[in-house]
Amino acid sequence: MFLDQTYCQNQDNSQRCYNKKGTKNIKIQPTTRLSINALGIQAINGKSFISFLDNTKTFEMMKFMITITIQNIESDELKTKLEKILYNEDLKLENILNTVNTKKNYEKLLLALELLSENSNTFKKLFKRLVKNPLNFKTKSNQVLENLKKQ
């Protein structure tokens, strides 16, 4: 399989403006910015596939890889299991946060992170952050959800 990605937009990335000699330096910019990510595979002995993703962060890439596997697998049993994972409502980030943010589960999470922080600096930083200011973690704003998806 060959994997490739392209990002198309209607604005250029350059700040330079090239014009014919004798004309004014006018840069025409569209009023609305359009952009799209296209990610696809070309399979030699399977089904080729293209997908237009909102972004190419880790969470979206994992969903894309599961979709590729579903497209190119022969086992119907495994296909249905992967589809259940892909379309499972419980795995949506908002639902995960709802589950974590109940008081009982939140306390269990803190206890688990405290134990894990003994061996890992990453867990130690996360644990300190949650102890210091738990409201940042519990916030369900779009920006916080995006940041959690990035990690």
Side-chain angles (χ1 to χ4, degrees):
M1 279 193 229
F2 300 100
L3 177 70
D4 196 14
Q5 174 186 0
T6 186
Y7 177 75
C8 303
Q9 60 185 7
N10 64 344
Q11 290 181 339
D12 57 358
N13 289 329
S14 172
Q15 298 300 319
R16 296 182 180 148
C17 183
Y18 299 105
N19 295 295
K20 289 183 181 178
K21 190 174 183 179
T23 61
K24 291 184 177 181
N25 291 333
I26 298 173
K27 184 175 179 183
I28 299 171
Q29 279 196 284
T31 55
T32 306
R33 183 174 180 161
L34 303 173
S35 62
I36 191 165
N37 287 315
L39 192 63
I41 61 155
Q42 182 159 2
I44 297 169
N45 294 327
K47 295 180 184 174
S48 297
F49 183 74
I50 188 167
S51 180
F52 298 95
L53 306 173
D54 295 333
N55 58 52
T56 54
K57 296 175 183 151
T58 306
F59 195 71
E60 294 296 321
M61 288 298 292
M62 288 169 47
K63 286 173 31 178
F64 176 73
M65 293 302 205
I66 291 173
T67 307
I68 291 170
T69 308
I70 290 171
Q71 293 293 321
N72 287 294
I73 202 163
E74 293 179 6
S75 170
D76 290 332
E77 182 182 343
L78 190 53
K79 265 186 190 179
T80 55
K81 286 181 181 179
L82 289 174
E83 286 172 351
K84 284 180 183 177
I85 291 170
L86 191 61
Y87 302 114
N88 189 344
E89 290 290 321
D90 293 335
L91 294 178
K92 289 190 176 177
L93 192 56
E94 293 84 357
N95 293 338
I96 292 170
L97 287 176
N98 284 335
T99 304
V100 167
N101 286 332
T102 61
K103 188 172 182 173
K104 181 177 77 171
N105 292 337
Y106 190 72
E107 289 170 1
K108 287 180 183 178
L109 175 68
L110 284 179
L111 181 63
L113 286 174
E114 186 178 18
L115 294 172
L116 291 170
S117 67
E118 295 171 3
N119 299 326
S120 170
N121 285 336
T122 306
F123 286 116
K124 189 179 286 187
K125 288 176 187 176
L126 181 60
F127 176 70
K128 285 181 181 178
R129 177 181 165 216
L130 291 176
V131 169
K132 184 177 178 182
N133 195 354
L135 292 176
N136 282 345
F137 186 74
K138 292 184 175 187
T139 304
K140 294 180 189 165
S141 69
N142 288 337
Q143 186 61 44
V144 171
L145 293 176
E146 278 298 314
N147 290 339
L148 285 170
K149 283 183 182 179
K150 287 179 191 177
Q151 295 174 356

